[in-house]
Amino acid sequence: MCVNNNKPKKWNEDIDKSVDMYNDWFMKFAPKAYRDTRQKTTKEVRATLNATQNLTVISGDLLKTNPSVLPSLRMSTCPPLAVDRLIGLSGVSKNLVRVIEKEKKLPPQMEKKKLDSDLEAIAKLIEKMADPDIFVWLGHKGKSPKEKEVYRAATIVADRLCGAVSNPIIRNTQEERQLEKIKKWLQYFGYQFLPANSKIKFNNIKPGQFAFRLNVPISHGVGEVNIPVDVVVKPKSAKTEDLPLLIEAKSAGDFTNVNKRRKEEAAKMKQLKSTYGEVEYILFLCGYFDSGYLGYEAAEGIDWVWEHRMKDLKEFGL
């Protein structure tokens, strides 16, 4: 069944409406999402400053007992240090830094002597490059910073941290909003939501039920791998043995990134078809999705529903 992917004459009108909808949301809600994250991050930076006695005591032992402080320390230098730049300047193990950044812990298999020397090298680099324009008390022995100076410094570092991940912050907030909108729409029409703790498998969902972020196993070489899907819903009219409808929530704040990511959905569709044959896998779109993106997905047999016209979900049997 084709709902939107076979109507290219309507695409430009829908693209304009979708861009307007995204921009309206961004102006109203993105600043709050950013501020909320910055407030939380400021508290984390304050904890780092407390652990380092306001950046006057930075050591390998500190990083060993509190590895999670590393991102805040990287953003406390002049200039702020990206992960790869920190690795290059300090000459330490790539794996060490990347495990700390990703998992907030030390790599368990790393040899102790190497671990200690690398952590000390990182500490010395941070100490040498600490930004005196932010931490105005550095270089003045015996001077204790005022509370407002510490707060100002923590806020600046938090801004740097949030700035480095601002796009994911906005994208995650938008995705949560999209899922909540789908949830309300389905519940309005009498569908039952299955929470995450129900641990339901995607092909065991009954007609009239739906769930978020389920793994769909697909054949891969000699075994199976899981493909995460945002929304899995079984139409009320479906038979018990029918596969559910799979929906991917997608939003974008510019045209460039979507054309970089368009192959992801196409790859998922191919993997799903190779495992299950005919399967309905559609996109739920809000934002900057141009005709190039839409044409690519249509050519791969993928259809979509625009968030500004959710009634099209009914065309997929819901």
Side-chain angles (χ1 to χ4, degrees):
M1 178 188 298
C2 295
V3 176
N4 285 305
N5 66 357
N6 65 339
K7 300 177 179 67
K9 290 183 179 179
K10 290 186 175 182
W11 289 359
N12 286 338
E13 180 183 348
D14 277 326
I15 290 167
D16 290 343
K17 289 180 179 178
S18 186
V19 167
D20 289 344
M21 184 177 192
Y22 182 93
N23 288 343
D24 287 344
W25 170 83
F26 188 94
M27 294 299 293
K28 291 176 182 176
F29 298 104
K32 181 181 184 304
Y34 187 90
R35 286 196 304 271
D36 289 347
T37 302
R38 181 174 60 183
Q39 186 176 29
K40 175 178 176 290
T41 305
T42 299
K43 292 180 180 178
E44 295 171 355
V45 175
R46 286 296 297 267
T48 297
L49 293 180
N50 288 338
T52 60
Q53 298 180 41
N54 293 321
L55 227 63
T56 60
V57 179
I58 306 172
S59 66
D61 287 339
L62 167 74
L63 288 168
K64 200 170 189 177
T65 55
N66 296 285
S68 63
V69 305
L70 183 57
S72 295
L73 293 178
R74 285 193 299 103
M75 293 296 110
S76 299
T77 61
C78 181
L81 295 173
V83 169
D84 288 340
R85 177 57 59 190
L86 172 68
I87 293 168
L89 289 175
S90 61
V92 302
S93 162
K94 291 182 180 180
N95 184 59
L96 169 63
V97 176
R98 287 172 180 166
V99 169
I100 291 177
E101 288 282 333
K102 186 176 181 180
E103 302 180 28
K104 312 301 181 188
K105 65 180 184 180
L106 302 173
Q109 305 301 324
M110 192 169 181
E111 191 265 325
K112 183 180 182 301
K113 186 176 180 180
K114 173 66 173 170
L115 175 65
D116 289 344
S117 64
D118 277 8
L119 292 176
E120 196 60 40
I122 292 172
K124 286 181 179 179
L125 177 66
I126 299 295
E127 185 176 35
K128 181 179 180 180
M129 297 188 66
D131 193 334
D133 292 329
I134 298 176
F135 307 100
V136 295
W137 56 89
L138 296 179
H140 301 277
K141 284 190 176 182
K143 180 183 178 182
S144 297
K146 298 176 182 178
E147 172 59 26
K148 66 178 181 181
E149 291 175 331
V150 175
Y151 177 76
R152 185 183 301 119
T155 302
I156 293 170
V157 173
D159 270 336
R160 288 179 170 185
L161 283 165
C162 291
V165 295
S166 59
N167 284 339
I169 290 171
I170 300 305
R171 188 164 58 247
N172 291 340
T173 304
Q174 174 75 318
E175 181 180 294
E176 291 298 327
R177 186 199 62 77
Q178 284 188 294
L179 293 182
E180 185 61 26
K181 196 163 183 180
I182 292 173
K183 180 179 179 181
K184 288 181 178 179
W185 191 93
L186 289 170
Q187 288 181 325
Y188 178 82
F189 288 101
Y191 282 80
Q192 177 192 2
F193 176 62
L194 302 175
N197 59 13
S198 62
K199 296 181 179 179
I200 188 77
K201 292 184 178 180
F202 97 101
N203 53 353
N204 288 337
I205 285 183
K206 298 177 181 178
Q209 295 180 333
F210 71 101
F212 290 159
R213 297 192 174 100
L214 291 189
N215 285 324
V216 177
I218 58 102
S219 300
H220 188 270
V222 294
E224 285 186 344
V225 295
N226 288 322
I227 291 180
V229 176
D230 291 329
V231 185
V232 178
V233 54
K234 180 76 75 77
K236 293 179 181 179
S237 59
K239 298 176 182 178
T240 304
E241 65 271 16
D242 290 342
L243 289 173
L245 172 67
L246 309 179
I247 306 174
E248 200 79 42
K250 309 291 290 185
S251 67
D254 64 79
F255 288 123
T256 303
N257 280 331
V258 298
N259 285 311
K260 290 179 180 178
R261 292 159 47 200
R262 64 188 183 182
K263 292 183 179 180
E264 296 172 9
E265 294 82 28
K268 278 189 179 183
M269 184 61 150
K270 287 179 180 177
Q271 291 170 325
L272 289 166
K273 279 188 172 182
S274 69
T275 303
Y276 299 101
E278 287 303 313
V279 61
E280 283 196 299
Y281 171 74
I282 68 171
L283 309 176
F284 184 67
L285 302 179
C286 177
Y288 288 67
F289 295 92
D290 61 15
S291 57
Y293 175 92
L294 300 177
Y296 187 94
E297 303 297 11
E300 296 294 333
I302 299 174
D303 211 338
W304 57 84
V305 169
W306 295 101
E307 187 176 332
H308 62 264
R309 195 171 58 247
M310 289 188 69
K311 66 179 183 180
D312 285 353
L313 285 169
K314 292 182 179 180
E315 300 296 321
F316 293 96
L318 300 180

